[in-house]
């Protein structure tokens, strides 16, 4: 039945084979034992290889594979573009310099390993992509190899061995990186106790936490609205709204009076001069740590559904004005236009949660979620930047134009000796993604690609491409593995470990980063999110995230482009 019905169905409908690969690959990718997991990309590749072996007559159209890969690369550039260009300002230059140095170390160490192992260009690219966990290098390397002046048989052989090398080395590349950065890194910097204490000190220097508990979860806490009945003698014959807000601010708390019930009448959006009397009910808003406990001096908390039931505005705004770019959270909150407005969260690169602390610096392109009464929030939005359209629609014209222009630029080539050198269409799509993402951060109303759409382009686009690669190389996988031998495990472990050890020492002792930030920089430059989570857990701190964003933007771009360099070095 298998050979008579099922296999012919998938051979005649290769798109169904791709979706079968994705389904099984994502399923396998969810399996986890302690810290060990294959991850989605490797699982999809291995499932594709198995299906390719079982269905050797399956044919995948090359354009189909490249369409998904170009969408993936554009989305990568689009998401990190604002931070990439922002990092070249003075304050980000040390982390940029480290990321560049780290990427060069990764390239050189992998090149040395490949030379010692007598690998060809395809094997070197596969080793680089797996050991440094940069999956996009597979496509970039294959496209560069296809442009070499060598026989088609040689190109095919090199392209087929790349996913073999990647699949074998990626597992240690991911799990090993997380273990080395999270558990070896602190020991190289004086031990866990010293590193954890330094993170505590750094958090203290960043300022008081703006939520009730320090740590990563802090930026995700909501802004509450609570109702109290005024009963304290401090109010005497009445206090103005401005006097109450000024008093709590002098006590280190930032609260706002949003509504008042006086003699049974509700006063919406009370003016600064509105007087509050004993017996009135007031609705206060602010960050959770500011509002908890206030009933001890204002009066008892009461449940007044009518008073508490009113519309508030939750608005994401992109920081895009000089008034806020480079300012700390504390400086932003002290500005007049922020009266009545609280910050719920700050996101960088669409997905990285930045700790909401007094001394956290806001970068252009950051997404700040504001909470407050509609008028107050709208006033703040105009001064901070531009409101983000609340839409699920993607500007397809913008995406398609970016990929088209990048592809045209990418095919332009020049020769270095006898070797043709170009960005390739892949590199062009990545570069234009960076530029278009940066432009969108300056003009948020143009080129809208919602975070959910970016995730689809990045995750599904990459895994569709990887599924095609696995299905294509399946029939040649066993032969390719026999060609490189079991020493590939050893070379992969060396190519992963050595750059990380060098990077950790370089970050701490050459660039003089503090331990938590140094380990975050290493994780970012190597674009390993798993390592960031592991090091935050091992240090009991979210300080490493402060070194991750800039280095991730630079590292993600350079490591992908270094796939071209690796081919040139062996060509």
């Amino acid at each position: 039945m298998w050979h008579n019905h099922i296999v012919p169905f998938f051979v005649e409908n290769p798109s169904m084979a791709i979706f079968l690969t994705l389904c099984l690959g994502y399923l396998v990718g969810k399996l986890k034992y302690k810290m060990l997991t294959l991850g989605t990309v490797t699982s999809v590749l291995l499932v594709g290889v198995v299906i390719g072996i079982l269905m050797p007559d399956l044919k995948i159209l090359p354009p189909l594979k490249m369409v998904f890969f170009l969408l993936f690369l554009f989305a990568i550039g689009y998401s990190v573009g604002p931070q990439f260009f922002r990092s070249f300002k003075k304050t980000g230059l040390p982390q940029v310099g480290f990321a560049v140095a780290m990427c060069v170390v990764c390239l050189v160490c992998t090149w040395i390993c490949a030379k010692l192992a007598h690998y060809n260009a395809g094997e070197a690219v596969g080793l680089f992509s797996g050991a440094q966990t940069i999956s996009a290098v597979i496509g970039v390397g294959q496209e560069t190899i296809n442009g070499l002046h060598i026989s088609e048989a040689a190109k095919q052989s090199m392209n087929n061995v790349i996913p073999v090398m990647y699949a074998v080395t990626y597992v240690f590349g991911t799990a090993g990186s997380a273990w080395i950065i999270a558990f070896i890194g602190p020991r190289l910097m004086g031990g866990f106790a010293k590193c954890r204490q330094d993170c505590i000190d750094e958090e203290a220097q960043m300022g008081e936490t703006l939520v009730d508990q320090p740590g990563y979860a802090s930026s995700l806490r909501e802004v509450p609205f609570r109702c109290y009945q005024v009963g304290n003698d401090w109010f005497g014959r009445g206090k103005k709204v401005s006097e109450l807000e000024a008093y709590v601010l002098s006590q280190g708390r930032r609260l706002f009076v949003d509504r008042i019930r006086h003699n049974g009448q509700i006063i919406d959006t009370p003016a600064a001069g509105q007087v509050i009397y004993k017996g009135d009910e007031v609705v206060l808003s602010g960050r959770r740590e500011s509002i908890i406990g206030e009933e001890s001096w204002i009066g008892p908390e009461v449940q007044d559904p009518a008073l508490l039931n009113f519309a508030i505005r939750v608005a994401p705004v992109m920081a895009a004005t000089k008034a806020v770019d480079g300012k700390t959270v504390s400086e932003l909150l002290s500005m007049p236009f922020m009266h009545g407005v609280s910050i719920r969260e700050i996101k960088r690169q669409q997905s990285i949660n930045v700790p909401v602390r007094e001394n956290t610096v806001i970068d252009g392109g950051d997404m700040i979620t504001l909470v407050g009464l509609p008028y107050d929030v709208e006033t703040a939005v105009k001064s901070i930047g531009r409101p983000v359209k609340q839409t699920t629609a993607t500007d397809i014209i913008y995406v398609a134009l970016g990929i088209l222009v990048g592809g045209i630029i990418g095919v332009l080539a020049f020769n270095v000796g006898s070797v043709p050198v170009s960005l390739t269409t892949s590199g062009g799509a990545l570069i234009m993604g960076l530029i278009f993402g940066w432009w969108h951060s300056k003009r948020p109303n143009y080129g809208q690609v919602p975070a959910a759409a970016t995730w689809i382009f990045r995750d599904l686009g990459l895994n569709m491409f990887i599924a095609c690669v696995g299905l294509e190389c399946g029939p040649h996988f066993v032969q390719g593995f026999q060609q490189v031998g079991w020493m590939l495990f050893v070379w992969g472990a060396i190519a992963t470990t050595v750059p990380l050890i060098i990077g950790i020492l370089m970050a701490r002792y050459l660039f003089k980063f503090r331990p938590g930030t140094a380990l975050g920089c290493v994780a970012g430059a190597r674009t390993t999110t798993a390592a960031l989570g592991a090091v935050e857990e091992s240090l009991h701190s979210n300080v490493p995230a402060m070194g991750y964003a800039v280095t991730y933007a630079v590292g993600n771009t350079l490591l992908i482009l270094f796939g071209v360099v690796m081919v040139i070095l062996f060509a």
Side-chain angles (χ1 to χ4, degrees):
M1 180 179 177
W2 171 263
H3 288 286
N4 294 333
H5 301 287
I6 298 179
V7 171
F9 169 77
F10 286 110
V11 171
E12 293 172 7
N13 301 275
S15 59
M16 294 297 101
I18 295 174
F19 284 108
L20 174 64
T21 302
L22 286 175
C23 179
L24 296 178
Y26 272 81
L27 183 63
V28 173
K30 291 181 178 293
L31 302 178
K32 185 176 182 180
Y33 177 73
K34 295 183 179 180
M35 289 186 60
L36 184 61
T37 178
L38 287 175
T40 302
V41 177
T42 306
S43 299
V44 169
L45 176 61
L46 293 177
V47 169
V49 167
V50 172
I51 294 176
I53 292 173
L54 296 175
M55 306 176 190
D57 296 327
L58 195 66
K59 302 297 181 185
I60 303 295
L61 296 175
L64 176 67
K65 180 175 68 173
M66 284 306 299
V67 165
F68 289 113
F69 188 59
L70 293 174
L71 282 171
F72 159 72
L73 287 173
F74 180 85
I76 285 286
Y78 182 91
S79 61
V80 305
Q83 190 66 33
F84 179 83
F85 289 105
R86 174 67 175 76
S87 67
F88 290 99
K89 291 188 176 181
K90 185 176 180 180
T91 55
L93 286 179
Q95 292 189 9
V96 172
F98 170 77
V100 172
M102 181 70 187
C103 291
V104 171
V105 169
C106 291
L107 175 69
V108 171
C109 287
T110 307
W111 174 75
I112 292 173
C113 289
K115 278 292 187 181
L116 293 175
H118 304 291
Y119 288 159
N120 59 35
E123 292 163 343
V125 167
L127 177 64
F128 183 63
S129 62
Q132 311 308 330
T133 63
I134 191 77
S135 310
V137 168
I138 296 175
V140 172
Q142 288 180 334
E143 189 174 359
T144 307
I145 288 172
N146 288 333
L148 297 177
H149 299 312
I150 56 177
S151 67
E152 289 300 319
K155 293 178 184 178
Q156 187 67 30
S157 175
M158 289 183 185
N159 284 334
N160 286 337
V161 82
I162 290 176
V164 178
M165 307 286 289
Y166 170 85
V168 173
T169 58
Y170 182 85
V171 177
F172 184 83
T174 300
S177 295
W179 181 74
I180 291 168
I181 295 175
F183 297 101
I184 301 299
R187 289 183 171 88
L188 294 176
M189 297 182 182
F192 281 98
K194 181 179 179 180
C195 291
R196 287 169 181 165
Q197 183 58 49
D198 190 84
C199 286
I200 293 173
D201 295 341
E202 191 167 357
E203 286 174 348
Q205 292 176 7
M206 289 169 65
E208 291 291 328
T209 176
L210 295 181
V211 291
D212 52 347
Q213 293 292 333
Y216 182 76
S218 61
S219 63
L220 302 178
R221 301 301 293 268
E222 296 184 357
V223 176
F225 293 77
R226 300 177 70 170
C227 181
Y228 302 98
Q229 186 174 54
V230 177
N232 195 296
D233 291 338
W234 179 83
F235 288 87
R237 296 183 178 180
K239 294 287 185 181
K240 296 179 181 179
V241 167
S242 58
E243 291 176 320
L244 173 57
E245 292 178 346
Y247 177 77
V248 294
L249 184 61
S250 70
Q251 303 302 306
R253 300 176 182 273
R254 188 172 181 269
L255 297 176
F256 303 102
V257 178
D258 292 319
R259 290 186 117 192
I260 300 173
R261 183 188 289 277
H262 177 68
N263 292 334
Q265 299 296 316
I266 294 178
I267 302 173
D268 282 311
T269 318
Q274 176 68 43
V275 178
I276 302 171
Y277 299 94
K278 290 180 67 175
D280 287 353
E281 293 178 0
V282 296
V283 174
L284 301 180
S285 68
R287 296 291 296 184
R288 188 174 300 275
E289 83 291 351
S290 292
I291 203 166
I292 290 177
E294 289 308 304
E295 68 275 8
S296 63
W297 73 273
I298 291 180
E301 183 172 6
V302 296
Q303 293 298 320
D304 188 336
L307 192 60
L308 285 168
N309 186 19
F310 61 97
I312 63 171
R313 181 79 184 275
V314 179
V317 56
M318 184 175 288
T321 64
K322 293 181 179 180
V324 300
D325 189 7
K327 294 290 192 297
T328 65
V329 168
S330 178
E331 291 172 332
L332 174 60
L333 292 176
S334 67
M335 294 179 179
F337 59 77
M338 287 297 289
H339 178 269
V341 180
S342 297
I343 297 175
R344 173 178 287 184
E345 66 178 8
I346 302 174
K347 282 186 178 290
R348 194 163 288 166
Q349 297 175 16
Q350 292 190 329
S351 59
I352 300 174
N353 286 292
V354 177
V356 185
R357 295 179 178 275
E358 289 182 345
N359 291 335
T360 295
V361 177
I362 295 171
D363 289 345
D366 283 355
M367 194 71 67
I368 306 171
T369 301
L370 305 178
V371 180
L373 296 178
Y375 174 79
D376 293 333
V377 170
E378 288 168 9
T379 301
V381 165
K382 293 176 183 178
S383 299
I384 291 175
R386 297 174 180 85
V388 178
K389 288 183 178 179
Q390 300 295 299
T391 177
T392 58
T394 296
D395 190 341
I396 297 298
I397 297 175
Y398 195 75
V399 175
L401 178 64
I403 295 175
L404 174 63
V405 174
I408 293 172
I409 295 174
V411 297
L412 302 176
F414 61 93
N415 288 333
V416 177
S418 60
V419 180
V421 178
S422 72
L423 278 176
T424 73
T425 56
S426 305
L430 175 65
I431 296 299
M432 292 311 298
L434 290 169
I435 295 173
F436 275 43
W438 168 79
W439 175 255
H440 170 70
S441 72
K442 298 297 182 182
R443 299 287 186 274
N445 291 330
Y446 300 95
Q448 180 75 9
V449 184
T454 305
W455 183 89
I456 285 288
F457 290 158
R458 290 178 63 168
D459 197 83
L460 188 60
L462 174 61
N463 283 294
M464 279 282 197
F465 168 77
I466 292 296
C468 294
V469 169
L471 292 170
E472 284 182 327
C473 81
H476 315 284
F477 189 88
V478 175
Q479 178 184 353
F481 187 74
Q482 291 173 341
Q483 173 184 333
V484 296
W486 289 97
M487 277 298 292
L488 173 58
F489 288 107
V490 177
W491 290 120
I494 294 173
T496 296
T497 303
V498 173
L500 287 176
I501 298 298
I502 294 175
I504 291 169
L505 297 175
M506 190 166 56
R508 182 69 182 103
Y509 301 108
L510 180 60
F511 285 84
K512 306 296 183 182
F513 296 141
R514 299 180 69 165
T517 303
L519 295 175
C521 286
V522 175
R526 266 289 317 280
T527 66
T528 171
T529 307
L532 176 64
V535 75
E536 285 184 331
E537 184 177 350
S538 69
L539 295 183
H540 305 158
S541 171
N542 61 352
V543 165
M546 303 305 295
Y548 185 82
V550 169
T551 53
Y552 177 86
V554 176
N556 213 351
T557 304
L558 284 185
L559 288 176
I560 292 173
L561 296 178
F562 279 178
V564 177
V565 176
M566 185 64 76
V567 174
I568 294 172
L569 290 174
F570 281 82

Coordinates of all heavy atoms in Angstrom, one line a residue, residues 313-325 337 362-370 377-390 437-448:
R313 N -7.3 53.8 27.6 CA -6.7 53.7 26.3 C -5.4 52.9 26.6 O -4.6 53.3 27.4 CB -6.4 55.0 25.7 CG -5.7 55.0 24.3 CD -6.7 54.6 23.2 NE -6.0 54.5 22.0 CZ -5.7 55.5 21.1 NH1 -6.0 56.7 21.5 NH2 -5.1 55.3 20.0
V314 N -5.2 51.8 25.8 CA -3.9 51.1 25.8 C -3.4 51.2 24.4 O -3.9 50.7 23.4 CB -4.1 49.6 26.1 CG1 -2.8 48.8 26.1 CG2 -4.8 49.4 27.5
A315 N -2.3 52.0 24.2 CA -1.8 52.3 22.9 C -0.3 52.1 22.8 O 0.5 52.6 23.5 CB -2.1 53.8 22.6
P316 N 0.0 51.2 21.8 CA 1.5 51.1 21.5 C 1.9 52.2 20.6 O 1.2 52.6 19.6 CB 1.5 49.7 20.7 CG 0.2 49.6 20.1 CD -0.8 50.3 21.0
V317 N 3.1 52.8 20.9 CA 3.6 53.9 20.2 C 5.1 53.6 19.9 O 5.8 53.2 20.8 CB 3.4 55.3 20.9 CG1 4.0 55.2 22.3 CG2 4.0 56.4 20.1
M318 N 5.5 54.0 18.7 CA 6.9 53.8 18.4 C 7.7 55.0 18.7 O 7.3 56.1 18.2 CB 7.1 53.4 16.9 CG 8.5 53.1 16.5 SD 8.6 52.6 14.8 CE 7.9 50.9 14.9
A319 N 8.8 54.9 19.5 CA 9.6 56.1 19.8 C 10.3 56.6 18.6 O 11.1 55.8 18.0 CB 10.6 55.7 20.9
A320 N 9.9 57.8 18.2 CA 10.5 58.3 16.9 C 10.8 59.7 16.9 O 11.0 60.3 15.8 CB 9.5 57.9 15.8
T321 N 10.8 60.4 18.1 CA 11.1 61.8 18.1 C 12.4 62.0 19.0 O 12.7 61.2 19.8 CB 10.0 62.6 18.8 OG1 9.8 62.2 20.1 CG2 8.7 62.4 18.0
K322 N 13.1 63.1 18.7 CA 14.3 63.4 19.4 C 14.0 63.7 20.9 O 14.9 63.6 21.8 CB 15.0 64.6 18.8 CG 15.5 64.3 17.4 CD 16.2 65.5 16.8 CE 16.8 65.2 15.4 NZ 17.5 66.4 14.8
A323 N 12.8 64.0 21.2 CA 12.4 64.3 22.6 C 12.5 63.1 23.5 O 12.8 63.3 24.7 CB 11.0 64.9 22.7
V324 N 12.4 61.9 23.0 CA 12.5 60.7 23.8 C 13.7 59.8 23.4 O 14.1 59.0 24.3 CB 11.2 59.9 23.7 CG1 10.0 60.8 24.2 CG2 10.9 59.4 22.3
D325 N 14.2 59.9 22.2 CA 15.3 59.0 21.8 C 16.5 59.3 22.7 O 17.0 60.4 22.8 CB 15.6 59.3 20.4 CG 16.6 58.3 19.8 OD1 16.9 57.3 20.5 OD2 17.1 58.4 18.7
F337 N 3.9 66.0 29.2 CA 2.9 65.3 28.4 C 2.6 63.9 28.9 O 1.7 63.2 28.4 CB 3.4 65.3 26.9 CG 4.7 64.6 26.7 CD1 4.8 63.2 26.7 CD2 5.8 65.4 26.4 CE1 6.0 62.6 26.4 CE2 7.0 64.8 26.2 CZ 7.1 63.4 26.2
I362 N 15.7 54.5 26.4 CA 14.7 54.3 25.3 C 15.5 54.6 24.0 O 16.0 55.7 23.8 CB 13.5 55.1 25.5 CG1 12.7 54.7 26.7 CG2 12.6 55.0 24.2 CD1 11.6 55.6 27.1
D363 N 15.4 53.6 23.1 CA 16.0 53.8 21.8 C 15.0 54.1 20.7 O 13.8 53.7 20.9 CB 16.8 52.5 21.3 CG 18.0 52.3 22.1 OD1 18.5 53.2 22.8 OD2 18.6 51.1 22.1
G364 N 15.4 54.8 19.7 CA 14.5 55.1 18.6 C 14.0 53.7 18.0 O 14.9 52.9 17.8
G365 N 12.8 53.6 17.7 CA 12.3 52.3 17.2 C 11.7 51.4 18.2 O 11.0 50.4 17.9
D366 N 11.9 51.7 19.5 CA 11.3 50.9 20.6 C 9.8 51.1 20.6 O 9.3 52.1 20.2 CB 11.8 51.4 22.0 CG 13.2 50.9 22.3 OD1 13.7 50.1 21.5 OD2 13.8 51.3 23.3
M367 N 9.1 50.0 20.9 CA 7.6 50.0 21.0 C 7.2 50.1 22.4 O 7.5 49.2 23.2 CB 7.1 48.7 20.4 CG 5.6 48.8 20.1 SD 5.2 49.9 18.7 CE 5.9 48.9 17.4
I368 N 6.6 51.3 22.8 CA 6.2 51.6 24.1 C 4.7 51.5 24.3 O 4.0 52.1 23.5 CB 6.7 53.0 24.6 CG1 8.2 53.1 24.3 CG2 6.4 53.3 26.0 CD1 8.7 54.6 24.5
T369 N 4.3 50.7 25.2 CA 2.8 50.5 25.4 C 2.4 51.4 26.5 O 2.9 51.3 27.7 CB 2.4 49.1 25.7 OG1 2.8 48.2 24.6 CG2 0.9 49.0 25.9
L370 N 1.5 52.4 26.2 CA 1.1 53.4 27.2 C -0.3 53.0 27.7 O -1.1 52.5 26.9 CB 1.0 54.8 26.6 CG 2.4 55.3 25.9 CD1 2.1 56.7 25.3 CD2 3.5 55.3 27.0
V377 N -3.4 59.8 27.0 CA -2.6 58.9 26.2 C -2.4 59.5 24.8 O -1.3 59.5 24.2 CB -3.2 57.5 26.1 CG1 -2.5 56.6 25.0 CG2 -3.2 56.8 27.4
E378 N -3.4 60.1 24.2 CA -3.3 60.7 22.9 C -2.3 61.8 22.9 O -1.5 62.0 22.0 CB -4.7 61.1 22.4 CG -5.6 60.0 22.0 CD -7.0 60.4 21.8 OE1 -7.2 61.7 21.8 OE2 -7.9 59.5 21.7
T379 N -2.3 62.6 24.0 CA -1.3 63.7 24.1 C 0.1 63.2 24.2 O 1.0 63.7 23.5 CB -1.6 64.5 25.4 OG1 -3.0 65.0 25.3 CG2 -0.7 65.7 25.5
A380 N 0.3 62.1 25.0 CA 1.6 61.5 25.1 C 2.1 60.9 23.8 O 3.3 61.1 23.4 CB 1.6 60.5 26.2
V381 N 1.2 60.2 23.1 CA 1.6 59.6 21.8 C 2.1 60.6 20.8 O 3.1 60.4 20.1 CB 0.4 58.9 21.2 CG1 0.6 58.5 19.7 CG2 0.1 57.6 22.0
K382 N 1.5 61.8 20.7 CA 1.9 62.8 19.8 C 3.4 63.3 20.1 O 4.1 63.7 19.2 CB 1.0 64.0 19.8 CG -0.4 63.7 19.3 CD -1.3 64.9 19.5 CE -2.8 64.5 19.0 NZ -3.7 65.7 19.2
S383 N 3.7 63.3 21.3 CA 5.1 63.8 21.7 C 6.1 62.7 21.7 O 7.3 63.0 21.5 CB 5.0 64.4 23.2 OG 4.1 65.4 23.2
I384 N 5.7 61.4 21.8 CA 6.7 60.3 21.8 C 7.1 59.9 20.4 O 8.3 59.6 20.1 CB 6.2 59.1 22.6 CG1 6.1 59.5 24.1 CG2 7.0 57.9 22.4 CD1 5.4 58.4 24.9
G385 N 6.1 59.8 19.5 CA 6.4 59.4 18.2 C 5.2 59.3 17.4 O 4.4 60.2 17.3
R386 N 4.9 58.1 16.9 CA 3.8 57.9 16.0 C 3.0 56.7 16.5 O 3.6 55.6 16.8 CB 4.2 57.7 14.6 CG 4.9 59.0 14.0 CD 5.4 58.7 12.6 NE 6.1 59.9 12.1 CZ 7.3 60.2 12.3 NH1 8.0 59.4 13.1 NH2 7.9 61.3 11.8
P387 N 1.7 56.8 16.6 CA 0.9 55.6 17.0 C 1.0 54.5 16.0 O 1.1 54.7 14.8 CB -0.5 56.1 17.1 CG -0.5 57.3 16.1 CD 0.8 57.9 16.2
V388 N 1.1 53.3 16.5 CA 1.2 52.1 15.6 C -0.3 51.7 15.2 O -1.1 51.6 16.1 CB 1.9 50.9 16.4 CG1 1.9 49.7 15.5 CG2 3.3 51.4 16.7
K389 N -0.5 51.5 14.0 CA -1.8 51.1 13.5 C -2.2 49.8 14.1 O -1.4 48.8 14.1 CB -1.8 51.0 12.0 CG -1.7 52.4 11.3 CD -1.8 52.1 9.8 CE -1.8 53.4 9.0 NZ -1.9 53.2 7.5
Q390 N -3.4 49.8 14.7 CA -3.9 48.6 15.3 C -4.5 47.7 14.1 O -5.8 47.8 13.9 CB -4.9 48.9 16.4 CG -4.4 49.7 17.5 CD -3.3 48.9 18.3 OE1 -3.5 47.8 18.8 NE2 -2.1 49.4 18.3
G437 N 13.0 48.1 7.3 CA 12.7 48.0 8.7 C 13.0 49.3 9.4 O 12.2 49.9 10.2
W438 N 14.2 49.9 9.1 CA 14.6 51.1 9.7 C 13.7 52.3 9.2 O 13.3 53.1 10.0 CB 16.1 51.4 9.3 CG 16.5 52.8 9.6 CD1 16.9 53.3 10.8 CD2 16.5 53.9 8.7 NE1 17.2 54.7 10.7 CE2 17.0 55.1 9.4 CE3 16.3 54.1 7.3 CZ2 17.2 56.3 8.8 CZ3 16.5 55.3 6.7 CH2 16.9 56.4 7.5
W439 N 13.4 52.3 7.9 CA 12.5 53.3 7.4 C 11.1 53.3 8.0 O 10.5 54.3 8.4 CB 12.4 53.2 5.9 CG 11.4 54.1 5.3 CD1 10.1 53.9 4.8 CD2 11.6 55.5 5.1 NE1 9.5 55.0 4.3 CE2 10.4 56.1 4.5 CE3 12.6 56.4 5.3 CZ2 10.2 57.4 4.1 CZ3 12.5 57.8 5.0 CH2 11.3 58.2 4.4
H440 N 10.6 52.1 8.3 CA 9.3 51.9 8.9 C 9.3 52.5 10.3 O 8.4 53.0 10.8 CB 8.9 50.5 9.0 CG 7.7 50.2 9.8 ND1 6.4 50.6 9.5 CD2 7.6 49.6 11.0 CE1 5.6 50.3 10.5 NE2 6.2 49.7 11.4
S441 N 10.5 52.3 11.0 CA 10.6 52.9 12.4 C 10.5 54.4 12.4 O 10.1 55.0 13.4 CB 11.9 52.4 13.0 OG 13.0 53.1 12.5
K442 N 10.9 55.0 11.3 CA 10.8 56.5 11.2 C 9.4 56.9 10.7 O 9.0 58.0 11.0 CB 11.9 57.0 10.2 CG 13.3 56.7 10.6 CD 13.6 57.4 11.9 CE 15.1 57.2 12.4 NZ 15.4 57.8 13.7
R443 N 8.8 56.1 9.9 CA 7.5 56.4 9.3 C 6.6 55.2 9.6 O 6.3 54.4 8.7 CB 7.6 56.7 7.8 CG 8.5 57.8 7.5 CD 7.8 59.2 7.8 NE 8.5 60.3 7.4 CZ 9.5 60.9 8.0 NH1 9.9 60.4 9.2 NH2 10.2 61.9 7.6
P444 N 6.1 55.0 10.8 CA 5.3 53.8 11.2 C 4.0 53.6 10.4 O 3.5 52.5 10.3 CB 5.0 54.0 12.7 CG 6.0 55.0 13.1 CD 6.3 55.9 12.0
N445 N 3.5 54.6 9.7 CA 2.3 54.5 9.0 C 2.5 53.9 7.6 O 1.6 53.6 6.9 CB 1.6 55.8 8.8 CG 1.0 56.3 10.2 OD1 0.7 55.5 11.0 ND2 0.9 57.6 10.3
Y446 N 3.8 53.7 7.3 CA 4.1 53.1 6.0 C 4.9 51.8 6.2 O 5.7 51.6 7.1 CB 5.0 54.0 5.2 CG 4.4 55.4 4.9 CD1 4.6 56.5 5.7 CD2 3.5 55.5 3.8 CE1 4.0 57.7 5.4 CE2 2.9 56.8 3.5 CZ 3.2 57.8 4.3 OH 2.6 59.1 4.1
G447 N 4.5 50.8 5.3 CA 5.3 49.5 5.4 C 4.9 48.7 6.7 O 5.8 48.1 7.3
Q448 N 3.7 48.7 7.1 CA 3.3 48.0 8.3 C 3.4 46.5 8.1 O 2.8 45.9 7.2 CB 1.9 48.4 8.7 CG 1.3 47.7 9.9 CD 1.9 48.3 11.2 OE1 2.6 49.3 11.1 NE2 1.7 47.6 12.3

